[in-house]
Amino acid sequence: MRIEIRGGRVVDPASRTDRTATVCIEDGRIVAVGAAPEGFRADRTIAASGLVVAPGLVDLNARLREPGLEHKATLDSELRAAVAGGVTRLACPPDTDPPLDEPGLVEMLRERARHARRAHVHPVGALTVGLAGTTLTEMGELADAGCIAYSQGDVPLADTQVMLRAMQYAATFGHRVWLRPHDAHLTRGGVAHDGEIATRLGLPAVPSCAETVALGTILALARETGVRLHLQRLSTAEGVAMVREAKRSGMAVTAEVAAHHLHLCDMDIGWFDAQARLDPPLRGTRDRAALRAGLADGTIDVVSSDHAPVDDDAKLVPFGEAEPGATGLELLLSLTLKWGAEDGIGLADALARVTVSPAAVLGVDAGVIGVGAAADLCVFDPAVHWRVERRALASQGRNTPFLGHELPGRVRYTLVGGLVVHEA
Amino acid sequence: MTIARNPQLDPDGKLVHLLTLEGLPAETIVSILDTAAPFASIGEREVKKVPLMRGKAVFNLFFESSTRTRTTFEIAAKRLSADVINLNIGASSTSKGETLLDTIDNLVAMNADMFVVRHAQSGAAHLIASHLHATGKPHVHVVNAGDGRHGHPTQGLLDLYTIRHYKRDFRALSVAIVGDVLHSRVARSLIHGLTTLGTPDVRVIGPKTLLPTRVEGLGVHVHHDMREGLAGCDVVVMLRLQSERMKGALLPSSGEYFKHYGLTADKLARAKPDAIVMHPGPMNRGVEIDSPVADGERSVILPQVTFGIAVRMAVMSMIAGA
C-alpha cells in the first residue's frame, strides 16, 4: 500500500519542521517528506491542503476498561475513540479487573489490541500485586509480556517501605515507575478541591497537600534509588513548583498533566455537575494557571487524556457518589491546541507535548515524522471548531465536562502503520 | 447532567423549587418570611387548617433519618390540607439497589406533586430537580430538607424568621454562629440568608478542624476564641456537635469541646444583654450548650420550632402555587 498525503502543513516537533510538504508512505513507513521519490505511484492520494500533518498522538494515560470493566467500555470502542482523536499510540494503566499484575493478562490484552488493528497499546503493569501495595509484581515477567512501565493506577501506595523497595527493585533492572502523587490518608473521603467552592457546596474536600505530601515522599525515594520516575497527573501549583525545583536540581524525572486540568477549575462544578467529578479534583484558578505555565516552561513534559469512560448511571447520582473520570481520547488534540493558542505556544511546541515528548517517556521510537519512521500520523483541520456532543463521540463513555463546548481542531485522517484507520 | 443556571427559579424569577438560599433574591426571602407570618397564628386556632394545597400529594423522602424535620414538614403539609406520604428510603428501595432517580421516577408515576427530600449527599436535591426538568416533569416541585453539608434552606428561613421576630432589622445586627460549621448545612444556609438580607457582621466561631477552608469567602468573620467572637453580638446560633466528630481526630473529647465552645452563662455574658440564643436542634446538653442557657430566658429554641412549621407552610404553598 502506497499513500501520498499531498500539500499539507507538515509539523514535526522533533525535527522542528513546519512547512508545506507531501508525505509519501510505503509498506507502513514514511519514505519521503517533500518531493515524491522517483517512480513513486500512490495507491491513494490524500489531499491535505489546509490540513496539518502531524505525528500520531501518544497518550500516556487511557483506560480501555478491559479486562473486567466492559460495562464501561471495551477495547474495541476505546481504540476506535483513540484513532478518532488522532491518538495512534497509548499506554493503559493497570487498574482493570483483575489488575494487570500477571503476564497472561498483559499478553491477552496486547493480542486483542493487535487484533483490533487500530492504535498501538502499551500496557502499564501493576507495581504491586492486585495494586494492594504489599507485594511486588514480577516486573521482569511483565516486561517480557510487553509492559513498558509499572504503576499503582489510581490506588495510592500508602506503605513507604514498599514504595522504597519497589523503586529499588525497578531501578535494579532499569524498569520505569509511573506514580500519581496522592496521599492515601489526605484524600480520604474527599470529592472536590479544598477551596471556596467545596466550602460553598458543602463537598468533602481534598487539600492540595494531599498531592505535595505524596510528591515529597516520591521524590525523596526516587532520589534515593535512582529509579526512572514519571509523575502522573499533577494538579496543584505547589506540586508544579516542587517538580520544577527537582528538575533544577538535576533530577531525571518527567511529569504529566491531564488535558482537562489545563482548562477547567473547581468553579466548573457549577451546581454539583457530576461530569466535573474528576480525580485528582479540578482545583483552583491559581493551580490551573500554574499547570499551564509549567507545561509551557517544560516543568511538565506531557499532556495526557486521562481517559476514563464511565457509564451514564455512574454519573446520574449525587456529586459525591459519582464515579470520577471523563472520556478524553477524542478531546486530547483539541484541548492541547486550545491551550497552545490561548497561551501563545507555537503549533509545533504544543504538539510536542502529545507526540515526541510522551513517546520519550514511553521509551519508544515514535511521535516523529521523518524518512524511515513508522507512518503513524494524525491529519487534522486546525481551522475547524467542533461542538462536543454525546453523539459526536466514538468512546463508549459519553461523560465529559466539556459537553456543549466548542473546541478547535478536527481530525480528518488517522494513519497507523501506513493504513488509514480513521477518516472523517 | 449539566445544570447551567440556578434551577430553583423559573425564567420569570419565580420560585419553583427550594434547593438553597444561595442566589435567592432578598425580595424572595422577605416574601417567604412575610407569607409565613399569618400562618404562625393558624396553629393557635381550633381548626388548624387552610385549603391551599387540597388534593396535592406531598412525598416526604427521607434518605437520612430525621424525626423533627420530617414531622414539621408533615404538620405543615397537613395544615395546608395536602396528602402526605412519608417514605423512609434509608430502609427500603435503595438498600435493594434502586437508584435515587429510579425512586423519583416511580413516585412521579404515582402522581407526586412535591418532594421534600433529605439526603446525606450534598447536591441530591439539585440532582432531583434537574432530573425532573430533563424528564419533562417541571410541575413536580422539590423542597430540600437537608442535603449533606450543603444546605437546609427551610431551617435557614426559620432561623431568619426567628431573628426578624426578635430583632427586626437585619442591617444592624451581629450574628455569631458557633461550632461545627464544616459539617453544617444549617450554618451554610443561614450565612447565605443573612448576607443576602444585608447583615453586616456574621461571625463563625470554632476550632480550625471544624471550620471549612476559606469560609471567609462566604462573607463571614472567623474567630477561634469564643469569648472574643461573642463580644457584643445580638444573636448566638449554636450548632449541634455530632458525637462521631471525636472519631475522625477532629476533636479530642466532648468535654474539652464544651470547655472551649460550649455556651455557658459566663460566655453568653460577652454578648449584648438582649442577645437571643438559637439552636437548630436536637441539642446536646453539656456538649455545645449548658442547660441553664438552653432553658434560660434568652433562649428562643422552642419558638424556632413553632416558627418552623409556619415557614414550611409558606414555602410549600408558594411553590405549589407557582
Side-chain angles (χ1 to χ4, degrees), chain B residues 1-320:
Chain B
M1 187 173 304
T2 312
I3 308 164
R5 61 187 179 91
N6 191 333
Q8 59 191 339
L9 302 172
D10 73 7
D12 302 324
K14 224 170 151 200
L15 198 65
V16 288
H17 307 291
L18 182 66
L19 307 175
T20 173
L21 294 190
E22 185 185 2
L24 273 194
E27 309 82 73
T28 308
I29 293 178
V30 169
S31 127
I32 295 170
L33 302 184
D34 289 347
T35 307
F39 288 133
S41 60
I42 287 177
E44 289 152 25
R45 289 194 220 152
E46 197 166 352
V47 177
K48 300 183 175 61
K49 273 201 187 219
V50 289
L52 291 170
M53 285 182 71
R54 190 154 59 199
K56 303 276 189 194
V58 175
F59 283 68
N60 274 334
L61 273 178
F62 280 66
F63 294 89
E64 193 182 68
S65 64
S66 151
T67 309
R68 178 182 317 231
T69 303
R70 202 211 66 214
T71 305
T72 54
F73 267 108
E74 184 175 349
I75 293 168
K78 285 182 169 166
R79 286 189 184 164
L80 292 166
S81 309
D83 296 319
V84 183
I85 299 93
N86 287 316
L87 291 145
N88 288 317
I89 314 280
S92 73
S93 54
T94 47
S95 52
K96 293 176 195 155
E98 188 176 60
T99 69
L100 170 59
L101 296 183
D102 280 339
T103 303
I104 295 299
D105 287 342
N106 275 277
L107 298 175
V108 168
M110 295 175 201
N111 298 314
D113 293 296
M114 184 180 290
F115 293 115
V116 175
V117 185
R118 159 78 53 102
H119 198 285
Q121 287 289 337
S122 300
H126 281 79
L127 176 72
I128 293 169
S130 64
H131 176 71
L132 291 169
H133 188 77
T135 53
K137 310 283 180 193
H139 53 279
V140 183
H141 307 284
V142 179
V143 177
N144 182 3
D147 63 323
R149 308 173 181 182
H150 167 246
H152 193 352
T154 60
Q155 177 72 44
L157 288 166
L158 81 85
D159 289 342
L160 294 174
Y161 187 97
T162 307
I163 293 169
R164 189 170 82 158
H165 181 86
Y166 291 99
K167 295 290 168 192
R168 307 284 167 208
D169 188 3
F170 288 100
R171 286 167 299 178
L173 291 182
S174 288
V175 179
I177 302 171
V178 187
D180 185 4
V181 177
L182 177 65
H183 297 94
S184 178
R185 50 194 173 216
V186 173
R188 283 178 178 77
S189 284
L190 180 56
I191 289 168
H192 288 309
L194 287 169
T195 53
T196 302
L197 295 180
T199 309
D201 182 21
V202 183
R203 312 168 188 175
V204 295
I205 304 171
K208 290 182 176 180
T209 48
L210 297 181
L211 297 179
T213 303
R214 300 197 200 168
V215 67
E216 302 88 343
L218 298 177
V220 299
H221 302 112
V222 174
H223 294 271
H224 303 299
D225 180 321
M226 187 167 175
R227 285 169 205 278
E228 185 191 295
L230 290 183
C233 73
D234 301 278
V235 178
V236 183
V237 181
M238 299 305 299
L239 299 173
R240 176 178 165 78
L241 186 79
Q242 308 269 3
S243 57
E244 68 250 31
R245 300 304 169 223
M246 263 55 85
K247 286 182 202 148
L250 290 160
L251 292 172
S253 69
S254 58
E256 180 153 319
Y257 180 78
F258 182 73
K259 184 167 171 242
H260 291 292
Y261 299 105
L263 186 63
T264 57
D266 177 48
K267 288 185 195 131
L268 182 58
R270 304 296 293 253
K272 283 197 185 142
D274 62 347
I276 55 171
V277 174
M278 295 168 52
H279 191 296
M283 276 187 290
N284 293 307
R285 290 167 184 264
V287 178
E288 69 261 1
I289 190 164
D290 204 11
S291 274
V293 176
D295 304 328
E297 57 176 8
R298 290 154 76 178
S299 164
V300 298
I301 295 169
L302 291 174
Q304 279 180 274
V305 178
T306 310
F307 296 149
I309 295 170
V311 166
R312 285 171 180 132
M313 288 174 77
V315 168
M316 292 166 110
S317 60
M318 283 172 72
I319 287 174

Side-chain angles (χ1 to χ4, degrees), chain A residues 247-267:
Chain A
K247 285 190 165 187
R248 191 172 290 155
S249 75
M251 198 176 166
V253 58
T254 52
E256 160 199 326
V257 62
H260 39 243
H261 278 105
L262 294 175
H263 298 285
L264 304 178
C265 65
D266 55 357
M267 282 189 280

Side-chain angles (χ1 to χ4, degrees), chain A residues 117-129:
Chain A
R117 295 168 66 91
R118 292 198 186 89
H120 306 285
V121 172
H122 297 284
V124 176
L127 188 65
T128 59
V129 175

